[in-house]
Amino acid sequence: MTLSRRQFIQTLGISTAGLLLPTLNGSLLAKEPYAATDTFIVPPLDYGQRNGNHVTFNLNLQRGKSHILPGFTTPTLGINSNYLGPVLRAKRGDTVSINVQNNIGEESTLHWHGFTLPATMDGGPHQRIANGSTWNAKFQIRQPASTLWYHSHEFHKTGEQVYKGMAGLFYVDDETSDQLAIPSDYGIDDLPVVIQDRAFTADGEFRYASMMPEKMHGMHGDTILVNGVITPTLQARKTLLRLRLLNGSNARIYNLGFNDNRSFYHIAGDCSFLASPVSMNRLILAPGERAEVLVDVSDRKRITLKSYKGAIKSSGSGMMGMMMGRMGFDREFDIMQIDARQAETSPYAIPRSLIRPIRLNPNEAVRTRPMEMSMGMMGMGGMGMMGGMMRGRRGGNGGGGFTINGQSMDINRIDFSVQRNTSEIWEVSNTSPLPHPFHVHNTQFQILGRNGKAAKAHESGLNDTVLVNPNEVVRILVPFRYYSDSKRPYMYHCHNLEHEDQGMMGQFTVV
Ligand code: C2O
Ligand code: CU
Ligand code: CU
């Protein structure tokens, strides 16, 4: 008896999946979300202590107990708080001095995601903060108004520490953003929306990447938190809302939209405003990415912000598709409700334009650099993958598992250096079957195109993270300005935090 090619692939697919999914029968990972609990919470806003252009922030990394599930307490991490941190806020031109005191009982770091800054202030895996000690980060803000964020970047433990709550937003204002006729009343019509998915154990603790597939795909939870609250309801105070969305999840990619399919207006990406609002009704947001959107609720309805299926474009192999579907990596969720029945009329309308278009010049690039993300042992099935991942975890450079340009992260290896005051074109490709959000420190880049096609209008501003789907090549123009250091590196990595922790990361210096 001979097997047809298709039967053979099916058999192979099932047995390989069997290796990967020993404990999985569809029930554990694809649980129904916990029910919505509460009202929308606005995190505290922290302007620091200002002295002219010098602003000092005091942050305490702490352990806490949070009430997330009704009737349970969840041990969490937070910054000046039980879970997550305050929204820090400063202006372009300010010199910020941030004291970070670590009291979580283990080593940590705090990284300023999206900032251009000296390498020693970056808060990456080299700026370790021992338990009980304080680290000071001081740098001048030299970039446009944007919604940035900060989070733990502890080597091999970023995923776990961020998952438990070590993250917060950082708003940068500038002269232009101060002039825009858009909602800007914090907590009233200008709202931070940190979206995260979490899984819980039976006794209400966060359950973190305890299973093999969660290490490979990254940790996906079954319950959505917004600013630490399960699928909350926002009582809209105004009829035009500005939502500053952060995908603060470890691995989940969202396909956001409203249940009545209304349009919303994309006004800012990761690191800048767009030239003009882009109307859309679905937005893919990958881990690490931010988007500011305006939502018109002048019809005073109750609406639901949802995430729809279709967030993940896998390479179409039967096994991956099956795993994703069964395991809930690509599924529909309610994110939050907006109840606009009591909203007052907003003084603002959707603006026609926002800022002067930002155009970095690709002709100024001094070179083109390939960046190939791959999961080397994938093709060999589960056991090979496991071997590769174990090498990645030890931080070796065995070439298996999660790699960029064939190398797994080694904290003692600088992968390359770039010249200060130049820019480069990076050709970011993905030869693995899973999507990877690619992030670079110390820069705000421009997306030139995907697979030869121009970037989409809503990604035309400055960004620090870009989603690269299987078989895609994304060209980005990456400038290196202001700061150089021949020894201390910056990171580039996949912002799926489990992939990052298992080695899909590299280091470069700016000289
Ligand atoms: Cu948001 Cu290197 O990280
Ligand atoms: Cu970063
Ligand atoms: Cu990845």
Side-chain angles (χ1 to χ4, degrees), residues 17-218:
L19 277 175
L20 288 167
L21 312 176
T23 59
L24 186 86
N25 36 39
S27 57
L28 195 46
L29 291 173
K31 272 203 313 209
E32 279 308 298
Y34 283 94
T37 44
D38 238 316
T39 53
F40 185 89
I41 283 188
V42 179
L45 180 60
D46 186 349
Y47 281 102
Q49 292 140 255
R50 178 172 289 276
N51 186 350
N53 286 329
H54 289 256
V55 186
T56 306
F57 296 96
N58 292 306
L59 302 182
N60 183 31
L61 311 184
Q62 60 190 66
R63 283 191 181 270
K65 290 191 191 311
S66 298
H67 298 284
I68 299 171
L69 288 178
F72 289 97
T73 24
T74 306
T76 48
L77 297 177
I79 302 118
N80 297 353
S81 159
N82 286 324
Y83 184 70
L84 300 179
V87 174
L88 307 180
R89 192 157 199 177
K91 286 191 174 65
R92 181 178 202 164
D94 285 347
T95 295
V96 295
S97 170
I98 313 164
N99 299 309
V100 184
Q101 193 178 3
N102 178 5
N103 285 309
I104 65 168
E106 64 183 43
E107 186 183 285
S108 191
T109 80
L110 212 57
H111 164 60
W112 320 106
H113 177 127
F115 280 96
T116 299
L117 74 191
T120 52
M121 304 300 166
D122 190 37
H126 294 272
Q127 286 80 49
R128 301 154 59 183
I129 317 172
N131 180 51
S133 67
T134 301
W135 174 64
N136 176 262
K138 191 172 181 185
F139 57 93
Q140 191 185 19
I141 299 179
R142 308 179 77 166
Q143 62 195 84
S146 45
T147 300
L148 309 178
W149 66 303
Y150 57 94
H151 60 79
S152 160
H153 217 302
E154 176 70 7
F155 196 41
H156 293 321
K157 289 194 94 174
T158 298
E160 189 186 329
Q161 292 189 354
V162 170
Y163 191 79
K164 289 184 176 162
M166 193 79 84
L169 288 166
F170 200 138
Y171 291 0
V172 171
D173 300 313
D174 67 11
E175 317 71 43
T176 315
S177 65
D178 289 347
Q179 303 295 315
L180 290 173
I182 55 174
S184 51
D185 203 351
Y186 183 82
I188 306 293
D189 58 8
D190 179 359
L191 300 146
V193 178
V194 179
I195 305 172
Q196 301 175 307
D197 58 333
R198 293 292 181 264
F200 294 89
T201 63
D203 46 10
E205 296 184 9
F206 283 147
R207 190 180 63 72
Y208 179 68
S210 48
M211 284 173 287
M212 184 61 201
E214 295 173 336
K215 294 203 159 57
M216 186 173 79
H217 293 259

Side-chain angles (χ1 to χ4, degrees), residues 111-115 122 149 151 153 439-442 464-465 491 493 495:
H111 164 60
W112 320 106
H113 177 127
F115 280 96
D122 190 37
W149 66 303
H151 60 79
H153 217 302
H439 168 57
V440 194
H441 288 206
N442 186 44
D464 58 56
T465 305
M491 307 294 132
H493 57 90
H495 220 287

Side-chain angles (χ1 to χ4, degrees), residues 200-477:
F200 294 89
T201 63
D203 46 10
E205 296 184 9
F206 283 147
R207 190 180 63 72
Y208 179 68
S210 48
M211 284 173 287
M212 184 61 201
E214 295 173 336
K215 294 203 159 57
M216 186 173 79
H217 293 259
M219 181 62 203
H220 289 68
D222 47 58
T223 293
I224 302 292
L225 308 186
V226 172
N227 302 338
V229 180
I230 298 175
T231 326
T233 300
L234 170 73
Q235 300 295 332
R237 309 260 300 261
K238 298 284 177 180
T239 54
L240 187 67
L241 302 174
R242 172 183 182 186
L243 306 181
R244 302 201 195 208
L245 307 166
L246 161 67
N247 183 347
S249 309
N250 283 33
R252 186 176 291 286
I253 302 167
Y254 299 96
N255 181 20
L256 301 171
F258 289 96
N259 62 323
D260 61 358
N261 268 325
R262 74 181 55 204
S263 299
F264 51 89
Y265 299 84
H266 198 292
I267 59 168
D270 294 333
C271 300
S272 77
F273 283 99
L274 302 177
S276 51
V278 175
S279 167
M280 53 205 311
N281 49 28
R282 289 288 185 278
L283 168 67
I284 303 260
L285 201 66
E289 291 186 310
R290 287 84 64 209
E292 294 188 37
V293 300
L294 298 179
V295 189
D296 183 341
V297 292
S298 56
D299 57 1
R300 294 189 168 80
K301 293 210 164 102
R302 269 187 82 104
I303 54 173
T304 306
L305 176 65
K306 295 181 66 103
S307 181
Y308 292 90
K309 283 193 179 193
I312 298 180
K313 316 256 183 299
S314 75
S315 67
S317 97
M319 173 190 145
M320 298 313 290
M322 182 198 80
M323 286 176 62
M324 297 210 168
R326 273 179 69 186
M327 297 170 54
F329 294 130
D330 194 12
R331 63 188 279 192
E332 199 170 302
F333 282 104
D334 286 359
I335 305 289
M336 61 183 281
Q337 324 279 335
I338 299 177
D339 179 355
R341 288 175 301 181
Q342 312 289 326
E344 289 169 21
T345 303
S346 171
Y348 301 107
I350 309 289
R352 207 165 292 204
S353 66
L354 295 157
I355 60 165
R356 288 215 321 275
I358 296 170
R359 281 283 162 266
L360 307 180
N361 182 359
N363 295 327
E364 279 167 16
V366 296
R367 62 170 287 165
T368 299
R369 195 181 287 279
M371 285 285 160
E372 183 193 329
M373 294 185 282
S374 66
M375 297 163 65
M377 310 304 262
M378 259 329 275
M380 293 172 60
M383 298 317 287
M385 187 67 209
M386 232 176 279
M389 285 177 26
M390 275 153 31
R391 277 194 293 281
R393 257 197 111 58
R394 282 195 225 106
N397 54 354
F402 295 92
T403 60
I404 301 178
N405 291 337
Q407 302 271 21
S408 183
M409 168 75 176
D410 180 344
I411 198 152
N412 297 312
R413 182 191 69 232
I414 308 284
D415 292 274
F416 57 89
S417 43
V418 301
Q419 300 280 324
R420 185 169 80 104
N421 282 323
T422 66
S423 56
E424 297 189 351
I425 291 171
W426 288 11
E427 246 165 28
V428 193
S429 61
N430 177 357
T431 52
S432 84
L434 301 180
H436 304 287
F438 182 79
H439 168 57
V440 194
H441 288 206
N442 186 44
T443 188
Q444 297 87 43
F445 58 74
Q446 191 139 43
I447 301 171
L448 298 174
R450 295 169 180 276
N451 284 354
K453 294 198 198 87
K456 304 207 180 81
H458 74 275
E459 25 177 60
S460 62
L462 296 175
N463 294 286
D464 58 56
T465 305
V466 63
L467 181 61
V468 186
N469 279 308
N471 302 321
E472 231 176 15
V473 181
V474 180
R475 298 176 82 238
I476 58 178
L477 180 59

